[in-house]
Amino acid sequence: MHETERSFARPSGAAWRAEPFRAFFPLAVVLGWIGTGHWLTYALGVTSTYSCLFHGLAQMQGFMMAFATGFLLTAIPRRTRTAAPSSFEMTLAMLAPVVIVAAGLAERWVVAELAYIALFVVLLEFAIRRFLGAGVRRPPVAFVLIPIGVLHGIAGAGLLVAGAAGAPPWSMALGRLCVEQGVFLCFAIGVGSLVLPLMAGKPPPPDFDASRPARRAAAAYASAGALIAATLIFEARGWSRAAPIARGIVVALGIALGGGVWRPPGKPGLHRRLVWLAAWLMPLGLIAAGLAPDFRVAALHVLFIGGFSLLAFGVATHVALGHLGLDALALGRPKPVAVLGLTLILAMLARVAADFSSTYFDHLGWAAGMWLLGSTVWLAFLGPRLLGRESASRA
């Protein structure tokens, strides 16, 4: 059958567990619509209040965590050649980001943060049982940053709960920094060391072993994670210039040396170029925030929209096209992927421009609209394939 004639059937429970990204990637987009649509409804006058705290936590603890969870629950069993997540693990992992966003909407921050911590507990339990089993394949060295990222998340959630209970203001500031930056900066370097070379057509990094070079590399990655944590603490205590710049340098070195993004990918495919652009926009946004602290929030949206969002969609595109047998599309320039890239870049530019304009909330509305448009086109393109499997009638 031709591409346009394929029919799809709903996967079985076993198929969902074998390929968790099928469920988590669409969930991530829906949660992102809620977190981003918050600004569009306010700009249009549909709602009369807004919450920067809700927007930030919904995007990082809901949207981004759903993408990350789908990736990890898919990648870890395949790398270790171990069992897929159980139905119980899948259910808990899918409920947690939904509860986070719903509780955030209701301003039940303690409930949201407890659900966030519970999600990390599920992921840790899932990963530990598979990586520490006898005879399983070990992760690459840079994966030492994954538990460090998890610690950022758990510590950040605890600080946010403490801040809501009346702790000193710096605890809330540090909690937001840990949750909104620390977690995914560590994840980007750690997971990027595996994903970015594979996307570029290079050999994957070697598995972690007991050799001296591996131990030294692990110590270097752990030091990067510790430096990220230190810069977050210093920034929360008032080092608004030096701390983000130092963090940006650490991230740039991590993705350049670990992920190999100091040179462009050797394989064709638009989503690969978008991922490379996103990788460099992360440190650029951090360094810009330090150089221009008066426009810190605007600069950080280079990190959040151009970096994290574009990176998440780019990697998700690669995973989906690869697992769904759409390798020809992965080597080309599908129009929906081009629309996604263009709209996310426009969203980033509109959000940055907001702080320099006299129509601040109008710019936020345009930025949110562009983000929503691009993510909707992306989901319309891949959603039918993610949520269904091709029937046996395919020729």
Side-chain angles (χ1 to χ4, degrees), residues 215-295:
R215 293 198 304 270
R216 288 177 176 172
Y221 281 114
S223 297
L227 285 171
I228 289 172
T231 64
L232 298 176
I233 294 171
F234 280 118
E235 183 171 348
R237 300 299 290 178
W239 292 54
S240 59
R241 289 183 179 272
I245 293 173
R247 188 157 61 252
I249 293 171
V250 171
V251 173
L253 289 173
I255 60 172
L257 300 178
V261 298
W262 56 273
R263 59 183 178 183
K267 293 183 70 174
L270 177 59
H271 71 283
R272 292 181 171 88
R273 269 63 186 174
L274 294 177
V275 166
W276 252 246
L277 174 62
W280 283 114
L281 286 173
M282 289 190 297
L284 176 62
L286 289 167
I287 292 170
L291 293 175
D294 290 342
F295 297 98

Side-chain angles (χ1 to χ4, degrees), residues 359-375:
T359 53
Y360 179 79
F361 287 108
D362 288 344
H363 276 77
L364 263 59
W366 278 107
M370 288 294 100
W371 197 99
L372 291 166
L373 174 61
S375 61

